[in-house]
Amino acid sequence: MKKILSTICLLLVMAAAQAQMTFTLDGITYGDVAQRDAKGMTTITLPAGTSLLNIITAVQIDGSPVSASDITPNPTTTTINYNELKVFTYNNKAYGFRFTEDVWFCGVFFSDCHINQDSGHDGTSQSDMTTIMNNILNMGKNGIKKVSFTTEGATNIIPKTSIVFCLGDVDQDKGDDGSSGTHSNFLNCTAELAKAAGIPFIFIAGNHDISPDYWNDGSKGITYGSSGGYHADQQTMNAITANNSYWSGYFEDGITYFTSGSSYDFEPNHFTFKYKNVRFYCANCYWFQKPYNKPGLLSNTNGTIYAPDGIVSNLNTYVENHSGEASVWMQHYPWLAGADCNRWWLDQNASGQYRESKNSSIYGSSTTGITYNDATSANTLKKDPLSAIMMKTAGKVDGKVQHFSGHYHRFDDRTYQSTVNSSNQVHDYTVAAPGNSGQSNNAFVVLFKRGEGVKEVIETQF
């Protein structure tokens, strides 16, 4: 009997192909979520987690309003369940609908804008960055596929941007752009445009935005005063946290920061948030960036730096408490890309020198005698311990943690394998700088699946 009734319903749906029933949905534009299939069925795909209670507020037939009470059952009061065939009858014609949850969303990653910085840094002008950002924010709105995904279930998607990330080195050194370190040139052509579009934009700091330990040459380093390096570092962090505060309400549980637990003058303030049931872990410069106390007026002109052990320990505790969440990671420094990659992980300058932290460290911050660009030391002291923490999270692809980085100014795609445990692997996607004229592409478009994380990464140009 149930089979006969289902067949009758489908025949009625097919017979109604000449007329179209549409809805006014609570807080959602019908045309953005509804699609008719070949049999006249209308599929309405809503953001995951959308409540279907009273989702329909009004009904139209061929664009003209009709009374919902004249429809059987009344669409505004009947119970609707996800993935259930729902047939509504009006004037002896039947209209079939199925409500589903959207499981896909797209993010765009770019890095190393170096707004207005000299050509040696692949600098991008404000005008060019404005064009790039507008193209990112408007991706797919013209109905044209910017990229085509091959992931099963997503091949027909016209990608539209849901969230945007910049992975550091945002403008000239430490905000030296005529804006007193506030990074306004960068923010005006990125964050402000994202606000106008209502699309979350997250950026992290790179080594040109906050001080690597060995930067002690004038305003670049950790120096004293309102025009000194500490002031610029703090302005960078203020810009990041202010931007985070603006978007915090878009995320499932706000934003959580990882700090050392001590009262240092400067903390790198790494952070995490969950968006569309995927957790994002974001490190300013890198996870081992050191907190410090600013220098005094007459002494210690380079400040006092401290080991990041408390930060990394707090990260590990948080990860263990959220291990079941699909997670995506990012920091400015790549895991493998670049001939001098390891010296950055070791905080070394071009001669292999670095400043030791005041306190002892299990992560090598106070270890002496490390040679220049020493891969063994970088791996043992920092990459291996960090990869072990990251492996505790869900959302891996083929057993590999998904990670994004910048700094190298070129595209790269490699997997780091721990020297301690070969099963600990980090797949690192390094994105090119927009101003790198020798690179044909300058951003990643990333397909995410709600609750599962990264599904596909494609290089493209905006």
Side-chain angles (χ1 to χ4, degrees):
M1 185 64 178
K2 289 183 178 180
K3 185 175 181 180
I4 294 174
L5 289 174
S6 298
T7 302
I8 292 173
C9 287
L10 289 174
L11 288 173
L12 287 170
V13 169
M14 295 174 66
Q18 292 83 2
Q20 185 176 5
M21 178 181 288
T22 57
F23 300 131
T24 300
L25 303 176
D26 184 19
I28 297 173
T29 301
Y30 182 85
D32 290 342
V33 298
Q35 182 178 356
R36 293 174 64 84
D37 67 15
K39 295 182 179 179
M41 176 78 65
T42 299
T43 299
I44 298 178
T45 303
L46 299 171
T50 300
S51 172
L52 295 181
L53 182 64
N54 299 323
I55 186 71
I56 299 173
T57 59
V59 187
Q60 304 83 34
I61 298 294
D62 290 340
S64 299
V66 299
S67 174
S69 61
D70 292 337
I71 299 170
T72 305
N74 186 330
T76 63
T77 59
T78 189
T79 299
I80 299 173
N81 298 310
Y82 276 118
N83 297 316
E84 172 191 27
L85 171 64
K86 202 73 176 181
V87 178
F88 299 103
T89 304
Y90 176 75
N91 282 349
N92 297 317
K93 292 183 180 180
Y95 304 83
F97 293 87
R98 193 183 302 276
F99 286 75
T100 64
E101 291 182 284
D102 186 11
V103 297
W104 308 105
F105 67 98
C106 293
V108 176
F109 289 77
F110 61 87
S111 185
D112 297 87
C113 307
H114 291 280
I115 301 296
N116 296 341
Q117 199 160 7
D118 61 82
S119 59
H121 291 89
D122 295 320
T124 309
S125 70
Q126 286 175 264
S127 175
D128 285 348
M129 193 64 230
T130 297
T131 298
I132 292 169
M133 191 67 180
N134 277 325
N135 289 340
I136 288 172
L137 297 172
N138 290 310
M139 179 175 68
K141 291 183 179 180
N142 56 4
I144 299 174
K145 284 187 177 183
K146 180 66 177 177
V147 298
S148 294
F149 296 122
T150 61
T151 301
E152 183 178 358
T155 56
N156 293 324
I157 289 177
I158 296 177
K160 294 181 181 178
T161 303
S162 292
I163 189 168
V164 184
F165 296 92
C166 176
L167 303 183
D169 284 3
V170 300
D171 47 31
Q172 301 185 56
D173 289 347
K174 305 184 77 167
D176 183 19
D177 58 2
S179 58
S180 301
T182 60
H183 303 286
S184 62
N185 290 343
F186 165 76
L187 294 172
N188 286 339
C189 56
T190 54
E192 294 305 316
L193 299 180
K195 290 177 183 178
I199 296 175
F201 171 71
I202 296 296
F203 73 100
I204 59 176
N207 59 293
H208 284 264
D209 307 316
I210 54 178
S211 294
D213 301 340
Y214 65 82
W215 273 17
N216 54 12
D217 48 342
S219 63
K220 286 185 178 182
I222 306 170
T223 49
Y224 179 83
S226 61
S227 61
Y230 162 73
H231 177 75
D233 281 356
Q234 197 59 59
Q235 289 283 6
T236 295
M237 204 51 58
N238 289 345
I240 290 172
T241 54
N243 182 72
N244 286 351
S245 294
Y246 181 89
W247 297 112
S248 179
Y250 283 67
F251 307 139
E252 275 90 312
D253 53 2
I255 293 179
T256 298
Y257 290 92
F258 301 105
T259 58
S260 63
S262 300
S263 56
Y264 299 129
D265 291 331
F266 179 83
E267 293 268 9
N269 282 346
H270 314 309
F271 57 95
T272 183
F273 60 90
K274 188 162 68 171
Y275 180 64
K276 297 183 183 292
N277 206 23
V278 176
R279 179 157 296 283
F280 293 87
Y281 288 94
C282 309
N284 287 305
C285 209
Y286 79 140
W287 289 101
F288 297 94
Q289 186 75 23
K290 298 181 182 65
Y292 64 81
N293 283 329
K294 63 184 177 181
L297 176 60
L298 301 176
S299 62
N300 189 27
T301 56
N302 292 316
T304 303
I305 62 173
Y306 296 87
D309 296 36
I311 298 172
V312 179
S313 176
N314 288 334
L315 170 68
N316 181 53
T317 299
Y318 189 92
V319 165
E320 289 180 341
N321 290 332
H322 294 79
S323 59
E325 299 174 338
S327 301
V328 180
W329 295 73
M330 67 196 75
Q331 66 176 32
H332 181 65
Y333 291 154
W335 284 73
L336 294 169
D340 59 351
C341 170
N342 293 301
R343 81 172 176 91
W344 291 101
W345 282 76
L346 295 169
D347 299 312
Q348 295 176 328
N349 66 9
S351 301
Q353 298 176 336
Y354 63 98
R355 295 179 59 205
E356 293 185 13
S357 56
K358 182 176 179 62
N359 53 337
S360 61
S361 169
I362 61 173
Y363 296 115
S365 302
S366 297
T367 302
T368 59
I370 298 177
T371 59
Y372 171 73
N373 204 27
D374 183 353
T376 299
S377 294
N379 294 348
T380 302
L381 299 175
K382 298 185 177 181
K383 295 182 184 181
D384 288 347
L386 182 57
S387 65
I389 294 173
M390 295 165 67
M391 284 295 294
K392 296 177 182 179
T393 60
K396 293 180 279 291
V397 178
D398 297 329
K400 303 172 185 176
V401 173
Q402 301 297 287
H403 187 278
F404 293 87
S405 63
H407 187 66
Y408 183 45
H409 288 209
R410 300 166 183 82
F411 279 116
D412 207 287
D413 178 2
R414 307 191 203 182
T415 296
Y416 177 79
Q417 180 172 289
S418 170
T419 61
V420 176
N421 184 343
S422 60
S423 63
N424 290 354
Q425 299 183 54
V426 179
H427 190 165
D428 185 28
Y429 297 93
T430 304
V431 66
N436 180 3
S437 58
Q439 188 80 52
S440 59
N441 305 311
N442 54 21
F444 283 129
V445 174
V446 182
L447 175 68
F448 295 98
K449 191 172 185 180
R450 296 172 188 264
E452 295 186 18
V454 174
K455 290 299 175 183
E456 194 166 348
V457 180
I458 298 180
E459 300 174 11
T460 193
Q461 185 178 36
F462 285 95

